[in-house]
Each structure stands twice: as C-alpha cells, then as structure tokens.
Amino acid sequence: MNKFKIKDYRKYDIASLSIAIGLNFSMFVTEIILCWIINSISMMSDAVDSFGDALTYSVALYAVVKLQNKKEDRSVILGIVQVVIGCFILEEIIRQYAINEHDDVQPMFLLIISFFALAVNLLCAVLLYLGSKDKNVKASFWFSAIDCFANAYTIIAAIIIWNHSNPLPDLIGGIIFFLLVVWAAVEIFVKNYKYKKISKT
C-alpha cells in the first residue's frame, strides 16, 4: 500500500517525472547518434519515441507543477504529442526502407542498447506507477509500460538478426514502435473522453 500523504504525492511526482525526462532525453541522444552506426530502424524509432516520451513527461510535469486545477485537459496534449511522434517514426521507416538503409544492421550493438532502453523504461514505469493518481502521471506510466514491450521485441529481433543475418525483424520492430505509440495515444484519448463523460454525470 502506498503510504505517501497527499502533499507528498506532488513532490514525488515532480521528482519521478524529472528523472524520467532526464533518462529519456539521455537515451534519445545516445540512440540518435548510435542508430547511424548500427543502421537500425528499430533503434531510430526508439530514439524518436524516447524524445517523444521526454516531451510527454515535460507536459505532465508542467501540469503537476502549474495546473493543479486543470490537469484533466493536459492528458489530451500527451496523446497529441504521441501521434506526432508516431508520424515521424512512420516517415522514417518508409524513407529508410525505400533507400535500403536497413540492410546492414549491427545486431550486437542493437542488443546492448536495447537492454539499456528496456532498463530505462522499466525504471520510469516503476517510478511513475508509485506516484499519485494524477491523470497526467498515470498517462505517462502507460507510455513507459508500452515501450517496455517494444524494447523486449527489439532484443528478440537483435538475436534473430545475429543468428540469421536477416534485417526484416528490425524493420518489423520499427513498425511495432509506430503501432504502439499510436495505440497509446488512442488509449489516452478514450480514457480522457470517458473521464469527461463521467464528470458531467
């Protein structure tokens, strides 16, 4: 059972969101640099997704700090950010596939970075899960939890590529990141709609 007092929830949310922002932005910088070396669509997608998560957590942090009486409106912004990030991921997947940049994936580096990405998202998910019942914080937890599944697939894809020298799992990984990002956004929109509908009754 969570024993934080209500006033402590806000301080915890601010600290956990700040940590999540720092970790995801660090992963974005690391992955965006390494994806050109590793030549991986999955890693590029995860890098863009990490940047989107950092923006998402920033919006949630702003809501927790500044907009305590209007938090329900900010979860929609979190969903919109995720849709925009999903569009960037899809565009990059199409671009790289069209020019065959995905054919020379470096599976060993992809495997190592994917483990780090999974650890970061697991840590963020746990920190945010232990926070308050604030809608923005819970929405942020949802994004981190979804990313863990994508990271787990990327680890499996790296192993397959390593053993079979087939870059197709990497391309599929990029598509999975895109679908999960859009799915998470839709979930936020649906939950926000249901929340507003309940609030009016």
Side-chain angles (χ1 to χ4, degrees):
M1 182 177 178
N2 203 329
K3 296 183 179 180
F4 288 120
K5 296 179 180 179
I6 297 300
K7 65 178 182 180
D8 294 327
Y9 274 134
R10 185 167 176 271
K11 292 180 180 178
Y12 180 88
D13 290 341
I14 292 172
S16 61
L17 285 167
S18 298
I19 293 171
I21 291 169
L23 288 173
N24 276 272
F25 188 75
S26 297
M27 284 304 302
F28 163 69
V29 173
T30 301
E31 289 180 313
I32 206 67
I33 293 173
L34 291 179
C35 74
W36 302 111
I37 301 172
I38 299 173
N39 207 27
S40 169
I41 293 177
S42 293
M43 181 170 293
M44 178 279 304
S45 301
D46 191 33
V48 176
D49 182 58
S50 294
F51 181 71
D53 286 345
L55 291 179
T56 297
Y57 301 147
S58 298
V59 173
L61 179 60
Y62 177 78
V64 170
V65 173
K66 297 291 186 181
L67 302 172
Q68 296 186 66
N69 296 324
K70 299 180 181 179
K71 291 177 184 176
E72 66 273 14
D73 297 328
R74 291 303 178 269
S75 62
V76 173
I77 297 178
L78 305 186
I80 293 172
V81 169
Q82 291 297 307
V83 171
V84 173
I85 293 301
C87 290
F88 275 113
I89 291 175
L90 181 60
E91 184 276 334
E92 189 63 19
I93 291 172
I94 295 172
R95 186 190 69 82
Q96 289 201 28
Y97 184 76
I99 60 178
N100 293 321
E101 283 190 359
H102 64 289
D103 287 340
D104 190 25
V105 181
Q106 303 297 317
M108 182 180 71
F109 293 106
L110 177 60
L111 183 64
I112 293 171
I113 298 301
S114 296
F115 270 115
F116 276 108
L118 177 60
V120 166
N121 282 313
L122 281 173
L123 177 58
C124 290
V126 170
L127 288 174
L128 297 171
Y129 179 78
L130 294 176
S132 71
K133 302 301 181 182
D134 175 77
K135 282 192 65 185
N136 296 282
V137 177
K138 291 309 175 187
S140 299
F141 158 74
W142 176 249
F143 294 140
S144 290
I146 289 296
D147 288 345
C148 289
F149 290 102
N151 294 139
Y153 170 81
T154 306
I155 291 172
I156 296 172
I159 295 173
I160 294 174
I161 296 169
W162 201 340
N163 290 327
H164 300 284
S165 300
N166 186 345
L168 182 60
D170 182 56
L171 176 62
I172 295 173
I175 295 173
I176 288 175
F177 270 105
F178 164 73
L179 293 175
L180 289 178
V181 166
V182 174
W183 179 36
V186 170
E187 283 290 314
I188 293 302
F189 292 142
V190 170
K191 289 178 181 178
N192 185 270
Y193 172 77
K194 289 181 179 179
Y195 177 84
K196 288 185 175 180
K197 191 174 181 180
I198 293 173
S199 299
K200 290 179 181 179
T201 58

